[in-house]
Amino acid sequence: MLQRTTTSSTDLLIRFLHIVIMLSFTGAYLTGDAEEWHQIHMAFGYTLGISLILRILWQFCAPRLAHTQPSGPSRRLQVIKPFVQRYWAQPQQWLSPTFLKAASSSLFQLSILGIFLLLPLTVLAGFLTDYTYSHTLKEVHELFANLFLASVLLHLAALTLNSVLLKKWLAKRMFWGTESHSWFTLFAAIFSLGVLIAFWFFYLS
């Protein structure tokens, strides 16, 4: 039986969109330089844009309708700000285990902010490049894509370091969980899947 939860920040839809964004960026990056794959490259880019829109909508809908609380920019900054305030002027502690744990957590949150800042810029620059055939916009698009990749690599590095220091694999909560979900969370996940399937069907047909 589906039940409501009041504590989850990584509910079913968050996990689903996380996987979609991860696969879409990988696909878009790998097909970016191949002219014969241009249509697929653009489809991956549009999928990133659609996923971002769904994620933003869910940020506002989840607390009201699904009774979950996805992490937003303010919550992530609440992790980064105390770390900077505490350790910025204390270089003697920069090799301590406590510092490394706090640093890896802060870099992890910073990488997520970077990803969600660069995602719309990358997609928009790609769309404008495809529409205008501007060489300058193409270079801007490639710059944003590479910065996006750098944020992803920072994300993975911080996650790995944090997992090693805490002696548990933190990534598993973004792929599966044991908590129950409200009916609205399940509906939203199915609706989002339907939107993405419909997009790919009409875009490629």
Side-chain angles (χ1 to χ4, degrees), residues 82-150:
F83 165 76
V84 174
Q85 291 174 335
R86 178 176 179 181
Y87 290 106
W88 183 258
Q90 300 182 42
Q92 68 275 12
Q93 297 188 28
W94 286 2
L95 294 179
S96 67
T98 303
F99 170 83
L100 292 176
K101 290 179 181 179
S104 61
S105 296
S106 296
L107 288 174
F108 180 75
Q109 301 299 335
L110 181 63
S111 68
I112 295 174
L113 291 175
I115 287 170
F116 280 98
L117 174 64
L118 290 164
L119 194 159
L121 296 176
T122 305
V123 172
L124 180 60
F127 170 78
L128 293 176
T129 299
D130 189 62
Y131 184 76
T132 64
Y133 300 99
S134 168
H135 180 70
T136 301
L137 283 174
K138 181 179 180 181
E139 291 183 341
V140 171
H141 175 58
E142 291 176 351
L143 173 63
F144 284 147
N146 288 326
L147 290 174
F148 194 123
L149 177 61

Side-chain angles (χ1 to χ4, degrees), residues 33-181:
D33 295 327
E35 188 63 32
E36 63 272 20
W37 289 99
H38 180 71
Q39 187 178 14
I40 299 298
H41 172 75
M42 293 300 296
F44 279 128
Y46 287 128
T47 302
L48 280 171
I50 293 170
S51 299
L52 178 62
I53 292 172
L54 292 171
R55 177 63 180 85
I56 293 173
L57 290 174
W58 190 241
Q59 186 69 33
F60 293 99
C61 292
R64 297 170 175 81
L65 300 173
H67 302 279
T68 58
Q69 185 59 62
S71 296
S74 60
R75 185 183 295 186
R76 301 189 191 284
L77 289 173
Q78 287 174 5
V79 176
I80 300 171
K81 185 177 178 181
F83 165 76
V84 174
Q85 291 174 335
R86 178 176 179 181
Y87 290 106
W88 183 258
Q90 300 182 42
Q92 68 275 12
Q93 297 188 28
W94 286 2
L95 294 179
S96 67
T98 303
F99 170 83
L100 292 176
K101 290 179 181 179
S104 61
S105 296
S106 296
L107 288 174
F108 180 75
Q109 301 299 335
L110 181 63
S111 68
I112 295 174
L113 291 175
I115 287 170
F116 280 98
L117 174 64
L118 290 164
L119 194 159
L121 296 176
T122 305
V123 172
L124 180 60
F127 170 78
L128 293 176
T129 299
D130 189 62
Y131 184 76
T132 64
Y133 300 99
S134 168
H135 180 70
T136 301
L137 283 174
K138 181 179 180 181
E139 291 183 341
V140 171
H141 175 58
E142 291 176 351
L143 173 63
F144 284 147
N146 288 326
L147 290 174
F148 194 123
L149 177 61
S151 296
V152 170
L153 295 177
L154 176 62
H155 184 69
L156 295 174
L159 176 64
T160 301
L161 177 59
N162 209 323
S163 297
V164 170
L165 293 172
L166 296 177
K167 298 180 180 180
K168 61 180 180 179
W169 187 37
L170 300 177
K172 66 180 182 180
R173 66 185 178 185
M174 287 306 297
F175 294 95
W176 65 81
T178 58
E179 72 271 15
S180 300
H181 301 285

